[in-house]
Amino acid sequence: MKKQFAVIGLGRFGGSICQSLVKQGMEVLAIDISEDKINKYANIATHAVIADSTDEDTLKSLGIRNFDHVIVAIGDNIQSSILTTLMLVEQGVRHITVKAQNDYHEKVLNKIGAHKVVHPERDMGVRIAHNIVSKNVLDY
Ligand code: ATP
């Protein structure tokens, strides 16, 4: 059976994750509070719904606990990101990946039980720097 993913928050990061998962043949439920974002992803994601992920009943009615992996890509609103993550943990989601905005955010996300925390800008900076160094080493 195909793996079921849910992406909450369709900014540049969440949107790119959503598109990439679909390209890899995965089933993706896209969730965003903004109607514009949902309209944009309606033809890309397997399903797209306008919803506030900080609402526990909404998450339950979407059957979020049955998804294999949920990605929380709410960056700016740290409170919403933390609350959403906490409810996903409480509902027993098996794999939860969350985008952190800063080190404090990351610390809280780890404490409340996020399985993986990513800092896209920082992580990509580290990768690119390694890449530059290893390329230079080969060049010399
Ligand atoms: P990026 O840096 O990835 O481009 P962004 O700055 O465009 O992110 P953010 O404000 O970090 O956007 O939020 C990402 C998305 O999360 C937005 O599309 C926003 O509508 C959505 N979002 C914010 N709060 C909620 C919420 N409570 N429930 C669902 N979606 C939300």
Side-chain angles (χ1 to χ4, degrees):
M1 217 177 94
K2 273 188 185 177
K3 282 212 165 174
Q4 311 264 340
F5 290 82
V7 178
I8 302 175
L10 301 165
R12 281 170 304 172
F13 176 69
S16 152
I17 298 256
C18 174
Q19 269 180 326
S20 175
L21 288 169
V22 170
K23 272 193 189 146
Q24 291 175 74
M26 305 296 156
E27 300 227 331
V28 184
L29 168 67
I31 301 168
D32 202 290
I33 204 167
S34 140
E35 190 177 350
D36 285 352
K37 290 283 168 63
I38 290 305
N39 287 338
K40 190 172 163 199
Y41 282 87
N43 294 324
I44 297 168
T46 320
H47 302 284
V49 291
I50 304 167
D52 179 352
S53 62
T54 62
D55 187 272
E56 194 167 18
D57 291 339
T58 302
L59 285 182
K60 280 189 181 152
S61 69
L62 289 170
I64 207 77
R65 59 189 290 277
N66 300 316
F67 283 78
D68 297 297
H69 199 142
V70 180
I71 297 100
V72 182
I74 302 170
D76 285 351
N77 192 334
I78 293 179
Q79 187 175 317
S80 295
S81 160
I82 292 170
L83 190 55
T84 300
T85 305
L86 184 62
M87 288 187 303
L88 296 174
V89 172
E90 282 177 352
Q91 291 188 34
V93 174
R94 287 181 289 275
H95 296 285
I96 305 167
T97 295
V98 193
K99 171 186 161 175
Q101 191 73 2
N102 57 49
D103 291 346
Y104 300 110
H105 188 190
E106 175 169 18
K107 211 170 175 174
V108 175
L109 292 170
N110 282 322
K111 262 270 192 296
I112 62 175
H115 303 118
K116 189 167 171 60
V117 179
V118 293
H119 274 245
E121 293 86 358
R122 190 186 71 186
D123 298 347
M124 191 48 81
V126 170
R127 271 178 69 173
I128 290 173
H130 278 281
N131 214 296
I132 291 167
V133 171
S134 63
K135 271 214 176 86
N136 282 344
V137 169
L138 286 176
D139 287 347
Y140 289 127

